[in-house]
C-alpha cells in the first residue's frame, strides 16, 4: 500500500489571516518526518486539512493517493493526535476509545490492546477528566494507534510530557517508523526531535521553508565552523577577529569560529600566544540548524 | 451506518449526565402529570349529597349530551314518519351585547325534525332528519355523525327491516334519499326539538378567555304529520329532563289536527370536554419533561464542540452526514423509549387518581388511548431531534436550549395558559412546532357542535396527526440544515 502523504499547494485564509500560503511537501514511509516551525506557521492547519477537518481554499492533501474524506474506515488509514484534550471528561478513557473503535467497525479487544500499548493500564477505567496532561497525551496517542494505521500524524505530542514520557514517545515514534509507517510529528521545539526525526520540514508563514534530510541540514548548518575551548576567551576573540574570523560566544569557555578552518585557528592562536584546550569541527544541534533556517520567516505577533 | 449507530450509542450511554437527564425527563413527565391528575377534583354537592350525575354514553362509546323534547309513538317494526317543517322559532335568554333581555331568536344549531330512537334512555341509538337554525337540513345519527342535506322543509324517515332511510323534499312529492342507517328492534318514532345553549367567547380584561352559555329553546311547527306502522298513542317526553329545571328548558307539545307544535331545549351531541376528565390531563408533565429532553438533545452534540471532541468524531467519520443521522437516531430512540414508559405509567395511574377524586373519565377508544400514549413519546422524541439539530447549528448549549424552548415549549405554554387571545393561541399552535401537542388531544372537536374550541380548554387547531406533522417538519428542516452546515463548516 502507498502510504505517503502528499500536500500540494495548500492555501487557507481565516478572515484576514493567511494561515497557509502554498504549503507543499510529502511524507515518506519508514522514517519520522519532523514538521517544525514557529507558532502560527500553519502546522496544525495543515494537519487538520490532511484529515479532512478543514477545507483548503486551494490545493489538495492526499493520503496514499486519495482524499481523506473518501476513505471508508479512515482511522485504519490515518491515525492522528491533534488535540490531546478532545474528550468528554466524564467518560472513561476506555469508553472514549470504544466509541471511536466502534465507529470504524473495530471491537473492544483492539481498545484493550492500545490501552496496554500506551501504558494507560487500569487508569483507562477512570474518568478521563481527571487525567494529567501526560496521560491525556497517551490517550490521544492510543486513539491515533487504534486503527493500526500506516500513516500517523502527531501534533505537538511532547506537550506536557514528563522526561520519562518524552523518552517513551521518542521510542514509540522510532518504532512506528521502523515498521515502515509514515510518521509526521509537528513541534515548535526542535530539541524534542533531536535524534528522532530523519527528515525535516520547516514551515514558516504558511509555507515550506526547508524540506531536507536531517543529516544534510546539520552538515549545512555546521559547515566550516570550528568549536574552540579556552579559558582566555577575551584574548582569543581579539586575535581571531584580527585575523578576519567571526566569533560567537557559546559558553563560559567555548567559542564558535566561522571564516577560518581548524588549522588556521590553531595557527592564529599559537602566533598570538593564546592558550586553548580544544579545537574541533563544530557539529550544529538541530535547534541551531532550525534557527538559521527560520530566522527570516519568524512571525512575531 | 450500523457501526456509527453503535458508536453514538456508546457515546450516549457512557456519559452519566445524559443517562440521568433522560431518566429525569421520565420522572418529570410522570411526576408532574400525576400532580396534575391528583389536583383534578370534582365535587357535586347537592341535596342528595356529593353525587355526580352519570354522563350518558352513546353507541359509539363517546360521552354524549342527550337532552331534548320528544313527541313519539312506538315503532315495533317497519314504518315511517313524514312531516313538513313549517316554521322554526325560539327564545334566547340574555344575549349580548347587554345581556339584559330575553329575546326571540334561534341559535345556529337549534334542531327540529323527525327521529327514530331505540328507547328513552339517554345515549341510546337514533337517527334523525332535521331542519337547523342556520345550517340547513341535515341527517344526524348516534351523536357523532352529521351530514348536510340542502335546505328542504319536508322530512321523512322510513324503516324497512333493519334499514332506516332519511329523505327530504322541497314540496312533499319528489323525495331525495339523503342517507341510510341501520337500527334494529323495537324503537320509538316521532318528532323532536332541541336547542343547545348560546355560546360566546370573550377576552377577559386581565387576560384569559370568558366563555358564556345562555339557555335557549326552539319551537318547531310541523304540518301534515303522517305516521305509518306506529302503535300506541302519542306521548311527550323530555329525554334527559331534570326535576326543577328552568321553565324555558322544559319541553311541550301542542296538537291541532295534523299540525303539531313542539318546543324543546338541550342538545343531542357528543359531550366534548364536558364528557369527563380527559386522559391527556395525566400527561401535562410531558411539557416539563420536555425541558430535560431538550437539554440532553442539545448537549449530545454541543458537548462535543465544547471539548473539541467533534474533531475526533468527524475525523473518524469524514462523511459527516451519518454522524448527525446516527446521533438523531440514538437520541430519538432513547427519548421515545423513555417517553413510552413515562406515558404508559402516567395514564393509568393518573386515571386512577382522578377517579378517586370523583371524576368520571371521558371515554375514548383503545386506539385513541394508544395514539395519545405513543404520540406523547413520539412528541418527546421529535423534540429531542429538533434540539439536537439546533445544537449542531448553534454549537452553543445555552443558545440551542433557549431556541428549542422558545420554539416548542413557549408557544405551547402561552397558548394553553390562556394569557393571549384565543385567535393568537390558535395561530401559534398552527405555525410553531408546538402544533405537535395536538397528538395528545383525545376528544375531537365536532363541527356540528357549538363549543369552546380553544387551546386553553384542550382543543388544538390542527388534527392530531396534522399537528404532529408540523412538528416533524420543523425537526426535519432543522436536521437537514444542521447536516448542510456541518458538511460546509470547518470542524
Amino acid at each position: 500500500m502507498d502510504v505517503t502523504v502528499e500536500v500540494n499547494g495548500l492555501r487557507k485564509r481565516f478572515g484576514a489571516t493567511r494561515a497557509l500560503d502554498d504549503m507543499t511537501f510529502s511524507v515518506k514511509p519508514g522514517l519520522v518526518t519532523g514538521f517544525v516551525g514557529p507558532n502560527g506557521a500553519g502546522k496544525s492547519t495543515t494537519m487538520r486539512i490532511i484529515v479532512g477537518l478543514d477545507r483548503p481554499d486551494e490545493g489538495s492533501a492526499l493520503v496514499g493517493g486519495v482524499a481523506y474524506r473518501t476513505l471508508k474506515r479512515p482511522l485504519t488509514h490515518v491515525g492522528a493526535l491533534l488535540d490531546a484534550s478532545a474528550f468528554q471528561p466524564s467518560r472513561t478513557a476506555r469508553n472514549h476509545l470504544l466509541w471511536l473503535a466502534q465507529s470504524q467497525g473495530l471491537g473492544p479487544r483492539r481498545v484493550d490492546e492500545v490501552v496496554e500499548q500506551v501504558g494507560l493500564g487500569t487508569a483507562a477505567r477512570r474518568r478521563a477528566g481527571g487525567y494529567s496532561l501526560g496521560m491525556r497525551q497517551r490517550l490521544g496517542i492510543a486513539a491515533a494507534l487504534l486503527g493500526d494505521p500506516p500513516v500517523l500524524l502527531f501534533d505537538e505530542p511532547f506537550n506536557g510530557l514528563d522526561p520519562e514520557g518524552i523518552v517513551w514517545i521518542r521510542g514509540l515514534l522510532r518504532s512506528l517508523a521502523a515498521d515502515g509507517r509514515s510518521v509526521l510529528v509537528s513541534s515548535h521545539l526542535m530539541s524534542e526531535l533531536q535524534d528522532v526525526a530523519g527528515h525535516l520540514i520547516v514551515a514558516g508563514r504558511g509555507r515550506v521553508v526547508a524540506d531536507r534530510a536531517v543529516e544534510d541540514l546539520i552538515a549545512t548548518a555546521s559547515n566550516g565552523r570550528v568549536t574552540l575551548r579556552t579559558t582566555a576567551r577575551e584574548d582569543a576573540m581579539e586575535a581571531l577577529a584580527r585575523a578576519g574570523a567571526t566569533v560567537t560566544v557559546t559558553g563560559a569557555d567555548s567559542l564558535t569560529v566561522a571564516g577560518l578552518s581548524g588549522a588556521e585557528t590553531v595557527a592564529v592562536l599559537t602566533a598570538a600566544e593564546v592558550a586553548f584546550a580544544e579545537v574541533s569541527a563544530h557539529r550544529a544541534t538541530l535547534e541551531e540548524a532550525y534557527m538559521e533556517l527560520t530566522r527570516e520567516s519568524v512571525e512575531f505577533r | 451506518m450500523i457501526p456509527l449507530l453503535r458508536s453514538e450509542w456508546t457515546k450516549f450511554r457512557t456519559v452519566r449526565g445524559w443517562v440521568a437527564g433522560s431518566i429525569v425527563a421520565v420522572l418529570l413527565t410522570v411526576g408532574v402529570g400525576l400532580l396534575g391528575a391528583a389536583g383534578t377534583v370534582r365535587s357535586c354537592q347537592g341535596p342528595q349529597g356529593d353525587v355526580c350525575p352519570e354522563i350518558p354514553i352513546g353507541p359509539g362509546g363517546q360521552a354524549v349530551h342527550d337532552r331534548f323534547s320528544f313527541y313519539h309513538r312506538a315503532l315495533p317494526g317497519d314504518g315511517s314518519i313524514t312531516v313538513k317543517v313549517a316554521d322554526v322559532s325560539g327564545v334566547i335568554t340574555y344575549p349580548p351585547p347587554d345581556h339584559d333581555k330575553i329575546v326571540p331568536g334561534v341559535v345556529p344549531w337549534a334542531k327540529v325534525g323527525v327521529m327514530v330512537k331505540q328507547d328513552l334512555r339517554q345515549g341510546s341509538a337514533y337517527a334523525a332528519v332535521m331542519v337547523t337554525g342556520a345550517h340547513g337540513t341535515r341527517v344526524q345519527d348516534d351523536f357523532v355523525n352529521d351530514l348536510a342535506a340542502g335546505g328542504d322543509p319536508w322530512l321523512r324517515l322510513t324503516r324497512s327491516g333493519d334499514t332506516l332511510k332519511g329523505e327530504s323534499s322541497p314540496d312533499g312529492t319528489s323525495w331525495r334519499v339523503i342517507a341510510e342507517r341501520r337500527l334494529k328492534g323495537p324503537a320509538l318514532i316521532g318528532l323532536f326539538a332541541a336547542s343547545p345553549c348560546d355560546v360566546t367567547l370573550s377576552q377577559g380584561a386581565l387576560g384569559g378567555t370568558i366563555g358564556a352559555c345562555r339557555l335557549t329553546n326552539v319551537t318547531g311547527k310541523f304540518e301534515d304529520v303522517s305516521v305509518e306502522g306506529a302503535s300506541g298513542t302519542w306521548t311527550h317526553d323530555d329525554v334527559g329532563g331534570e326535576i326543577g329545571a328552568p321553565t324555558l328548558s322544559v319541553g311541550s307539545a301542542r296538537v291541532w289536527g295534523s299540525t303539531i307544535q313542539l318546543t324543546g331545549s338541550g342538545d343531542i351531541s357528543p359531550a366534548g370536554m364536558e364528557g369527563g376528565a380527559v386522559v391527556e390531563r395525566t400527561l401535562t408533565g410531558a411539557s416539563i419533561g420536555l425541558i430535560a429532553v431538550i437539554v440532553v438533545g442539545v448537549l449530545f452534540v454541543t458537548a462535543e464542540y465544547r471539548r473539541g471532541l467533534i474533531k475526533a468524531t468527524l475525523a473518524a467519520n469524514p462523511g459527516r452526514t451519518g454522524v448527525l443521522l446516527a446521533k438523531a437516531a440514538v437520541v430519538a430512540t432513547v427519548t421515545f423509549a423513555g417517553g413510552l414508559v413515562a406515558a404508559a405509567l402516567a395514564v393509568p395511574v393518573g386515571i386512577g387518581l382522578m377517579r378517586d377524586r370523583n371524576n368520571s373519565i371521558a371515554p375514548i377508544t383503545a386506539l385513541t388511548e394508544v395514539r395519545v400514549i405513543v404520540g406523547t413519546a413520539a412528541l418527546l422524541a421529535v423534540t429531542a431531534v429538533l434540539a439536537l439539530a439546533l445544537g449542531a447549528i448553534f454549537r452553543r448549549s445555552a443558545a440551542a436550549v433557549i431556541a428549542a424552548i422558545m420554539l416548542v415549549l413557549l408557544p405551547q405554554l402561552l397558548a394553553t395558559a390562556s394569557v393571549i387571545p384565543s385567535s393568537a393561541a390558535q395561530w401559534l399552535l398552527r405555525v410553531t412546532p408546538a402544533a405537535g401537542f395536538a397528538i395528545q388531544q383525545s376528544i375531537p372537536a365536532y363541527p356540528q357542535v357549538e363549543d369552546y374550541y380553544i387551546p386553553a380548554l384542550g382543543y388544538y387547531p390542527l388534527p392530531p396527526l396534522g399537528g404532529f406533522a408540523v412538528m416533524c417538519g420543523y425537526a426535519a428542516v432543522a436536521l437537514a440544515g444542521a447536516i448542510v452546515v456541518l458538511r460546509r463548516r470547518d470542524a
Side-chain angles (χ1 to χ4, degrees), chain B residues 117-142:
Chain B
K117 186 172 168 72
Q118 203 80 64
D119 50 48
L120 289 175
R121 249 180 340 105
Q122 284 182 292
S124 70
Y126 75 93
V129 189
M130 67 199 72
V131 171
T132 59
H135 296 282
T137 302
R138 306 185 86 88
V139 172
Q140 292 188 353
D141 67 280
D142 291 353

Side-chain angles (χ1 to χ4, degrees), chain B residues 47 54 105 145 156 166 197 218 244 272 275 284 288 291 298 379 399 404 437-438 450 473 478 483:
Chain B
E54 283 283 309
N145 304 317
R156 180 191 281 167
C197 62
V218 66
T284 46
I288 307 304
I291 297 173
V298 164
L379 173 80
F437 282 95
E450 197 99 26
I483 287 171

Side-chain angles (χ1 to χ4, degrees), chain A residues 88-198:
Chain A
Q88 182 76 24
S90 54
R91 202 178 271 137
T92 66
R94 195 174 176 284
N95 283 330
H96 173 74
L97 294 169
L98 183 61
W99 74 254
L100 207 52
Q102 285 170 336
S103 75
Q104 308 297 302
L106 301 167
R109 194 177 309 158
R110 179 62 192 155
V111 171
D112 295 332
E113 281 171 21
V114 291
V115 162
E116 284 311 311
Q117 194 180 350
V118 300
L120 275 177
T122 52
R125 294 190 181 270
R126 297 210 317 257
R127 291 166 164 231
Y131 278 16
S132 66
L133 213 49
M135 287 165 83
R136 288 169 191 219
Q137 289 288 14
R138 286 174 190 257
L139 175 55
I141 288 164
L145 298 175
L146 202 54
D148 194 21
V151 175
L152 286 145
L153 312 177
F154 296 103
D155 194 9
E156 303 281 0
F158 302 97
N159 272 3
L161 287 181
D162 52 14
E164 189 201 353
I166 289 175
V167 169
W168 168 74
I169 199 168
R170 284 182 169 176
L172 176 72
L173 293 175
R174 275 195 217 98
S175 74
L176 290 172
D179 291 346
R181 299 176 214 254
S182 297
V183 184
L184 182 68
V185 183
S186 85
S187 175
H188 65 286
L189 293 176
M190 270 318 302
S191 55
E192 293 171 344
L193 292 174
Q194 186 99 43
D195 306 327
V196 178

Side-chain angles (χ1 to χ4, degrees), chain B residues 28-413:
Chain B
L28 282 175
T29 302
V30 175
V32 176
L34 293 186
L35 270 178
T40 307
V41 180
R42 188 168 69 144
S43 175
C44 314
Q45 287 296 343
Q48 283 82 36
D50 192 359
V51 182
C52 292
E54 283 283 309
I55 296 168
I57 307 297
Q62 300 88 353
V64 296
H65 289 307
D66 199 7
R67 197 167 68 74
F68 61 100
S69 176
F70 196 19
Y71 192 51
H72 57 87
R73 295 177 70 187
L75 180 68
D78 292 355
S80 74
I81 182 166
T82 309
V83 299
K84 179 193 177 193
V85 177
D87 185 50
V88 180
S89 61
V91 169
I92 302 175
T93 57
Y94 313 111
D98 298 326
H99 306 289
D100 59 348
K101 280 196 280 276
I102 295 178
V103 299
V106 178
V107 289
W109 282 108
K111 44 193 93 156
V112 298
V114 294
M115 177 187 282
V116 172
K117 186 172 168 72
Q118 203 80 64
D119 50 48
L120 289 175
R121 249 180 340 105
Q122 284 182 292
S124 70
Y126 75 93
V129 189
M130 67 199 72
V131 171
T132 59
H135 296 282
T137 302
R138 306 185 86 88
V139 172
Q140 292 188 353
D141 67 280
D142 291 353
F143 303 93
V144 291
N145 304 317
D146 171 59
L147 194 65
D152 293 342
W154 286 86
L155 313 174
R156 180 191 281 167
L157 260 177
T158 309
R159 179 159 88 165
S160 54
D162 292 342
T163 306
L164 266 174
K165 187 168 67 175
E167 293 166 286
S168 73
S169 166
D171 48 17
T173 48
S174 63
W175 290 88
R176 184 168 68 97
V177 178
I178 312 164
E180 288 192 354
R181 299 282 184 264
R182 296 182 70 76
L183 197 130
K184 283 202 278 192
L188 303 171
I189 188 165
L191 306 171
F192 80 100
S195 181
C197 62
D198 179 33
V199 170
T200 49
L201 277 174
S202 56
Q203 202 60 35
L206 297 169
T209 308
I210 301 164
C213 192
R214 290 164 296 269
L215 178 64
T216 70
N217 72 16
V218 66
T219 300
K221 191 178 172 195
F222 301 95
E223 290 175 352
D224 298 314
V225 179
S226 75
V227 180
E228 282 167 28
S231 65
T233 55
W234 285 98
T235 312
H236 179 263
D237 278 290
D238 268 334
V239 174
E242 288 162 22
I243 300 158
T247 321
L248 271 174
S249 72
V250 177
S252 63
R254 291 172 62 194
V255 185
W256 312 268
S258 68
T259 300
I260 300 174
Q261 189 170 296
L262 186 66
T263 299
S265 185
D267 203 4
I268 313 161
S269 68
M273 298 286 172
E274 287 170 47
V278 290
V279 289
E280 57 264 38
R281 264 208 74 73
T282 64
L283 291 169
T284 46
S287 304
I288 307 304
L290 204 67
I291 297 173
V293 165
I294 285 173
V295 169
V296 170
V298 164
L299 284 182
F300 192 37
V301 59
T302 54
E304 293 210 13
Y305 278 102
R306 182 150 160 241
R307 311 290 178 187
L309 188 60
I310 191 75
K311 285 177 253 175
T313 300
L314 296 184
N317 308 284
R320 299 193 179 186
T321 306
V323 172
L324 266 190
L325 292 180
K327 275 189 185 297
V330 166
V331 87
T333 306
V334 169
T335 313
F336 183 81
L340 209 54
V341 168
L345 262 173
V347 167
V349 177
I351 284 178
L353 284 174
M354 290 199 292
R355 284 225 166 93
D356 291 347
R357 282 155 185 73
N358 215 4
N359 293 284
S360 64
I361 309 297
I364 52 172
T365 62
L367 197 67
T368 304
E369 189 165 343
V370 167
R371 187 252 295 162
V372 170
I373 291 173
V374 175
T376 299
L379 173 80
L380 294 174
V382 174
T383 304
V385 171
L386 178 62
L388 176 95
L390 291 173
I393 291 169
F394 286 108
R395 295 183 281 184
R396 298 268 187 288
S397 314
V401 166
I402 290 169
I405 286 176
M406 299 252 283
L407 275 173
V408 183
L409 198 52
L410 193 64
Q412 156 74 1
L413 293 181

Side-chain angles (χ1 to χ4, degrees), chain A residues 4-125:
Chain A
T4 58
V5 176
E6 285 169 76
V7 172
N8 217 324
L10 292 183
R11 290 180 198 274
K12 177 88 181 169
R13 277 181 168 282
F14 295 109
T17 315
R18 182 178 298 175
L20 297 180
D21 181 15
D22 197 18
M23 178 73 76
T24 302
F25 63 86
S26 63
V27 185
K28 303 238 161 18
L31 72 165
V32 175
T33 302
F35 190 23
V36 298
N39 288 327
K43 307 185 296 290
S44 295
T45 305
T46 304
M47 287 190 163
R48 290 160 53 82
I49 288 174
I50 294 172
V51 296
L53 292 178
D54 287 5
R55 276 184 203 279
D57 299 335
E58 268 179 61
S60 64
L62 299 180
V63 178
V66 300
Y68 185 89
R69 281 199 184 209
T70 64
L71 295 172
K72 269 264 176 317
R73 295 159 69 213
L75 298 194
T76 62
H77 298 265
V78 182
L81 165 69
L82 296 184
D83 177 0
S85 42
F87 51 75
Q88 182 76 24
S90 54
R91 202 178 271 137
T92 66
R94 195 174 176 284
N95 283 330
H96 173 74
L97 294 169
L98 183 61
W99 74 254
L100 207 52
Q102 285 170 336
S103 75
Q104 308 297 302
L106 301 167
R109 194 177 309 158
R110 179 62 192 155
V111 171
D112 295 332
E113 281 171 21
V114 291
V115 162
E116 284 311 311
Q117 194 180 350
V118 300
L120 275 177
T122 52
R125 294 190 181 270

